[in-house]
Amino acid sequence: MNVYFGKECIKVDEASFEQFALDYNQISAGGGVVRNTEGKILMILRHGIWDLPKGKQEPDEEIETCALREVEEETGLTNLKLGKLICITHHTYTVFGISCLKNTYWYEMQYNGSETPVPQAEEDITRAEWIGPDALPGCLETTYPSIREVFDKSI
């Protein structure tokens, strides 16, 4: 499996992953690749980088519930339909001197409504937009490698 360190990626085999992860504070998160009825994909812009909506799992929360909640919170959309698990990505970061390993569970989601996405400003999200197939390659050029992995596995 791939583990991302910023824009760098290393491969860790499944047998070694548990040992590898012991060196990190592990965090579980959920997110989604949301498609609307026009086939567009919902993306967010945070700190000038295109991303997918996602967030940390709460204690005693099912990961599927987390994924739906976080997408709703970060985009303002409701009535999302959860689909299948696409993949789990792994990336590291440091916060307050603590090395963290975030394991994000990515789900397919469908949106059939007419609400306009609203970016969650308190999470530093400045845009939440439906991205069509023509514009998607440009967004993927400026996103994180782990997000490109999600798209590689979902398309």
Side-chain angles (χ1 to χ4, degrees):
M1 65 186 61
N2 294 328
V3 178
Y4 296 94
F5 297 83
K7 295 193 180 227
E8 299 298 318
C9 175
I10 65 163
K11 297 224 181 262
V12 178
D13 65 63
E14 288 191 41
S16 303
F17 184 76
E18 192 173 312
Q19 185 66 36
F20 168 85
L22 291 175
D23 292 334
Y24 296 89
N25 178 38
Q26 289 199 63
I27 296 166
S28 291
V33 176
V34 183
R35 288 184 171 82
N36 67 11
T37 56
E38 298 172 12
K40 293 181 178 179
I41 294 176
L42 183 61
M43 293 193 75
I44 60 172
L45 190 69
R46 185 185 341 236
H47 305 293
I49 299 172
W50 285 106
D51 202 350
L52 291 169
K54 66 182 172 312
K56 295 177 188 168
Q57 184 179 22
E58 299 290 335
D60 300 320
E61 181 180 44
E62 296 292 326
I63 195 65
E64 297 87 352
T65 303
C66 167
L68 285 168
R69 176 184 55 76
E70 285 290 344
V71 172
E72 288 178 358
E73 287 177 3
E74 291 193 346
T75 67
L77 297 179
T78 58
N79 299 315
L80 297 164
K81 183 180 176 192
L82 184 73
K84 69 175 184 146
L85 177 68
I86 298 167
C87 65
I88 304 168
T89 60
H90 311 278
H91 76 271
T92 65
Y93 61 95
T94 302
V95 62
F96 304 119
I98 298 170
S99 296
C100 299
L101 173 64
K102 185 183 274 186
N103 305 299
T104 305
Y105 293 72
W106 294 101
Y107 291 89
E108 291 180 352
M109 295 183 190
Q110 184 66 39
Y111 179 71
N112 297 321
S114 59
E115 297 169 285
T116 300
V118 177
Q120 187 182 23
E122 55 269 14
E123 289 290 330
D124 298 322
I125 301 169
T126 54
R127 292 165 65 186
E129 295 183 14
W130 293 108
I131 306 296
D134 301 2
L136 189 58
C139 294
L140 294 179
E141 283 179 18
T142 61
T143 193
Y144 301 100
S146 60
I147 298 301
R148 284 194 291 275
E149 179 180 331
V150 175
F151 275 97
D152 287 347
K153 293 181 177 178
S154 70
I155 295 177

